[in-house]
Amino acid sequence: MDSKPSKTPNAREIAAQIRDDIANGTYGPGTRLPGAKGYAKKLGVALMTVQSAYGQLAEEGLVEGRPGSGTYVIDPVQGEPTAQQTAVGIRDIQAELVRVTSRLTDLAERVEKLEEERTSSASSGSE
């Protein structure tokens, strides 16, 4: 049986999965992430896709690359949030963004409906 996912993930999706794994404690501070080459092969994606995902996580301050050693979850300086806390915060912000986007879509549809009603009542009143 093939263990590859049915749809190959993109870098954003890979980063999201690893971010969730960090938030859930699967990868704790100082933990080495899977080697990019092996992970890419496991997922059935190009090496650059995994490297891009790791780059996104590094930009978010969750991981750091160590030349010749791999990519590790950042072990925070005392007083700074852990990678897990940061990942949870990012996940919460993404969920809130989805909620706000949905509400904005609903509001835009309501405004459009009101404008249509206003236009049709104005044109029926001028006849």
Side-chain angles (χ1 to χ4, degrees), residues 2 15 26 46 49 53 58 62 80 83-84 88 95 98-99 117-118 120:
D2 192 4
T26 302
T49 304
L62 299 176
E80 294 291 320
Q84 182 177 11
V88 168
V98 167
R99 189 188 70 73
E117 289 173 1
R118 184 174 149 237
S120 73

Side-chain angles (χ1 to χ4, degrees), residues 114-127:
L114 288 170
E115 288 175 347
E116 287 172 3
E117 289 173 1
R118 184 174 149 237
T119 303
S120 73
S121 74
S123 64
S124 66
S126 64
E127 291 178 19

Side-chain angles (χ1 to χ4, degrees), residues 40-103:
K41 185 174 182 177
K42 176 183 174 187
L43 296 175
V45 299
L47 174 59
M48 286 298 293
T49 304
V50 173
Q51 290 173 331
S52 178
Y54 285 5
Q56 290 174 32
L57 296 169
E59 288 174 10
E60 294 169 5
L62 299 176
V63 301
E64 65 182 351
R66 298 180 190 163
S69 181
T71 303
Y72 294 81
V73 176
I74 289 180
D75 197 358
V77 176
Q78 188 170 352
E80 294 291 320
T82 65
Q84 182 177 11
Q85 291 166 329
T86 302
V88 168
I90 291 169
R91 188 173 58 186
D92 291 348
I93 289 169
Q94 287 173 328
E96 181 66 12
L97 183 59
V98 167
R99 189 188 70 73
V100 168
T101 301
S102 175
R103 294 272 303 155

